[in-house]
Amino acid sequence: PSSIRRQVLVFTSAVSLTVLLITGAVLLTHHLGQTRARLAESLDSIAQMTAANASAALAFRDAAGASDVLGSLRHDPLIVSAVLFDLQNRPFVAYGAPTDLNPAKPALSPLGPIRILEVVHNGETYGRLLIVTDNRAELRRTALTWGAVYAGAVVLTALLAYALSFLFQRAVATPLAALARAAGAVTERRDYAVRATPGGPAEVAAVAEAFNTMLVEIGRRDAELARQLTVLDKEMDEREAAEASLRQSTRELLRLSHEAGMSEVASGVLHN
């Protein structure tokens, strides 16, 4: 059977790691969700700002001005492309990587979320703005960062579990092992003079005290039983001696009676 320290180490590590893994998975999912929400809010703000700034250029068909507005998107590394469409859904100005997405038929982008906003100037719609983002690197960075944090927490938990098992070994397992050795000595040698040294927590010390009290009582009863056996042996010896003396006396009486009978027979013969 495994030692108490090993069992405590395995149990503590299993419970800690299970709780930590479940908590880590929940928190990692939460962090990824928060990152996606933050990126979505940022994208909405940038799309609204860009649509508002490009409305006049699109209304007046100012391609240079529209290009300058879209060119400001280079400050956001997550935006990979942006396109201004006119009312006939024809590209007017584009920025970044080419895209074949159609604002009239919104579709999911494999890179990340997209935004399609109407470009309105003085209350009149002049076209649409399409922005495509790539947030995979940001999500990967978030996952790696928090994954490293949770991996460090797992390592720290394992070290803490080992330290707790070591402290448990000193506080509980060592006194229990000493108590087990004392019980083994009593079982093997029938030596009721052995005593366990009380130590460790109050419960373990109480067990050791109860064990010592039990040994004292067993030793007292064993001594009393030995005394009674000695008395019984002496009585049996005395009874056997008395029986032997009685048998000897019986044989002597029989011999004397036999001799007396022979004397009476001889006297009767002589008299006759």
Side-chain angles (χ1 to χ4, degrees), residues 10 20 23 32 52 152 225:
V10 172
L20 188 61
T23 306
L32 290 176
L225 181 60

Side-chain angles (χ1 to χ4, degrees), residues 56-122:
L58 183 60
F60 293 103
R61 309 297 292 180
D62 182 6
S67 297
D68 291 340
V69 172
L70 295 187
S72 64
L73 297 175
R74 65 180 179 275
H75 299 294
D76 191 338
L78 299 181
I79 297 178
V80 295
S81 63
V83 183
L84 274 174
F85 293 89
D86 58 18
L87 290 176
Q88 288 74 35
N89 291 325
R90 293 175 302 190
F92 177 64
V93 176
Y95 161 80
T99 178
D100 55 356
L101 296 176
N102 189 343
K105 298 178 180 179
L108 296 177
S109 171
L111 301 179
I114 64 173
R115 290 295 183 271
I116 301 176
L117 278 77
E118 291 187 351
V119 179
V120 180
H121 182 66
N122 293 331

Side-chain angles (χ1 to χ4, degrees), residues 88-250:
Q88 288 74 35
N89 291 325
R90 293 175 302 190
F92 177 64
V93 176
Y95 161 80
T99 178
D100 55 356
L101 296 176
N102 189 343
K105 298 178 180 179
L108 296 177
S109 171
L111 301 179
I114 64 173
R115 290 295 183 271
I116 301 176
L117 278 77
E118 291 187 351
V119 179
V120 180
H121 182 66
N122 293 331
E124 186 176 351
T125 301
Y126 287 92
R128 292 185 179 89
L129 171 66
L130 171 67
I131 296 181
V132 181
T133 61
D134 184 2
N135 58 5
R136 294 175 300 178
E138 183 68 15
L139 293 176
R140 188 182 303 111
R141 184 186 66 80
T142 301
L144 290 177
T145 300
W146 287 103
V149 172
Y150 295 139
V154 169
V155 173
L156 183 61
T157 301
L159 294 176
L160 182 61
Y162 182 82
L164 289 176
S165 68
F166 180 76
L167 294 177
F168 182 84
Q169 171 77 12
R170 294 184 57 185
V172 179
T174 299
L176 287 178
L179 182 60
R181 287 193 297 270
V186 172
T187 303
E188 293 174 1
R189 302 194 300 266
R190 302 291 180 182
D191 183 6
Y192 300 109
V194 175
R195 294 292 181 268
T197 303
E203 293 81 359
V204 179
V207 171
E209 291 290 350
F211 179 76
N212 291 336
T213 302
M214 181 184 65
L215 289 180
V216 170
E217 181 64 19
I218 292 175
R220 185 187 65 79
R221 293 185 180 183
D222 187 69
E224 179 65 20
L225 181 60
R227 186 187 65 78
Q228 292 179 1
L229 288 175
T230 301
V231 171
L232 182 59
D233 290 340
K234 183 178 180 181
E235 290 178 354
M236 292 181 64
D237 292 341
E238 292 176 352
R239 180 175 297 178
E240 289 178 357
E243 291 178 352
S245 177
L246 179 60
R247 287 194 295 270
Q248 181 64 27
S249 299
T250 301

